[in-house]
Amino acid sequence: MNLILLGAPGAGKGTQAEKICEKLSIPAISTGNMLREAMANGTEMGLKAKSFIDAGKLVPDEVVIGIIRERLQAADCKNGFILDGFPRTIPQAEALDEMGVRIDRVIDIEVSNEKIAARLSGRRVCLKCGATYHVEYKAPKTEGVCDACGDTLVQRKDDMPETVLDRLKTYHEQTEPLKDYYAAKGILRVVEGQEAVADTTARTMQALED
Ligand code: AP5
């Protein structure tokens, strides 16, 4: 199954991508994680992306389209994939169509702006392996240490309150129109994401069957 997860920053796309990945054994592809990895490695693309990400803006379409075009050619995508954070603009969705990529389902996770602020201020991430935690809702076994690889957990720079507001504005202006784009194709399913992770997961799994 080829899936797209849509939703505001902090709606829980990464969290649900992990659950679907475990259930269906298909890779979860996060453009955000790939860009952060490039930033950590100091590559040319990472340096270019940094100023956009730190300001809560989108990285230019041609950069992320190039990343996805290459990633979808990998052998592990043969039986399906989950796109987490791509597409984020109409031109990115059109580029996916032009690549001849068939999308079976688009899951839109809906969460209010108020909840988003609480989730993002408490999020902690591992820059080494990409694992995500929350100080209240998903705490690591040892405070500040990644359960998976033992590296130090940090707060993402773009999770600071002022930047979160910019990310939400960018989302409403540039990404939300994708709901209509995929609704018109009959493949959009809206999932209520306000409650506990397990509730959202149950709704997400149901939406994959509908
Ligand atoms: P990206 O990393 O994709 O950021 P995002 O979409 O803003 O999404 P997040 O990772 O912030 O949130 P999420 O929805 O995955 O939530 P999560 O599961 O972590 O992109 C970062 C930046 O890269 C962008 O701003 C942009 O600059 C650039 N970029 C990336 N892709 C791009 C593209 N295609 N085009 C252009 N630029 C691009 O959950 C959040 C927190 O809440 C976690 O702590 C989690 O534990 C907790 N949580 C999750 N669900 C629940 C729940 N139900 N109850 C309580 N807590 C919960």
Side-chain angles (χ1 to χ4, degrees), residues 7-16 30-33 35-36 52-53 56-59 64 84-88 92 119-120 122-124 132-134 137-138 156 158-159 167 193 195-197 200:
K13 300 181 296 295
T15 302
Q16 295 307 321
S30 157
T31 37
N33 283 348
L35 291 166
R36 278 185 291 277
F52 293 98
I53 293 180
K57 308 276 177 258
L58 294 182
V59 171
V64 281
D84 161 14
F86 184 96
R88 253 179 160 99
Q92 291 179 22
R119 287 190 190 174
L120 294 185
R123 174 163 60 183
R124 299 293 179 271
T132 301
Y133 300 86
H134 192 282
Y137 309 121
K138 191 190 172 195
R156 271 169 48 178
D158 62 345
D159 278 351
R167 287 165 67 197
E195 308 304 330
V197 171
T200 308

Side-chain angles (χ1 to χ4, degrees), residues 136-150:
E136 193 180 334
Y137 309 121
K138 191 190 172 195
K141 291 193 189 92
T142 306
E143 195 186 326
V145 179
C146 178
D147 292 346
C149 75

Side-chain angles (χ1 to χ4, degrees), residues 74-140:
D76 66 342
C77 293
K78 207 164 43 101
N79 296 322
F81 52 80
I82 308 151
L83 290 179
D84 161 14
F86 184 96
R88 253 179 160 99
T89 62
I90 297 285
Q92 291 179 22
E94 289 170 347
L96 208 49
D97 290 342
E98 281 155 23
M99 284 176 222
V101 175
R102 185 199 78 246
I103 299 297
D104 301 300
R105 193 64 92 233
V106 178
I107 309 281
D108 168 47
I109 306 175
E110 288 285 324
V111 177
S112 68
N113 285 358
E114 294 70 34
K115 284 243 170 180
I116 298 281
R119 287 190 190 174
L120 294 185
S121 62
R123 174 163 60 183
R124 299 293 179 271
V125 296
C126 175
L127 292 181
K128 192 171 172 198
C129 74
T132 301
Y133 300 86
H134 192 282
V135 291
E136 193 180 334
Y137 309 121
K138 191 190 172 195

Side-chain angles (χ1 to χ4, degrees), residues 158-176:
D158 62 345
D159 278 351
M160 300 297 168
E162 334 62 85
T163 314
V164 168
L165 290 179
D166 288 333
R167 287 165 67 197
L168 281 169
K169 188 165 177 280
T170 302
Y171 167 76
H172 291 302
E173 286 173 3
Q174 299 196 53
T175 307
E176 235 177 353

Side-chain angles (χ1 to χ4, degrees), residues 43-53 59-60 62-63:
T43 66
E44 196 184 322
M45 182 179 75
L47 293 174
K48 190 172 175 191
K50 190 174 184 320
S51 57
F52 293 98
I53 293 180
V59 171
E62 64 273 18
V63 175

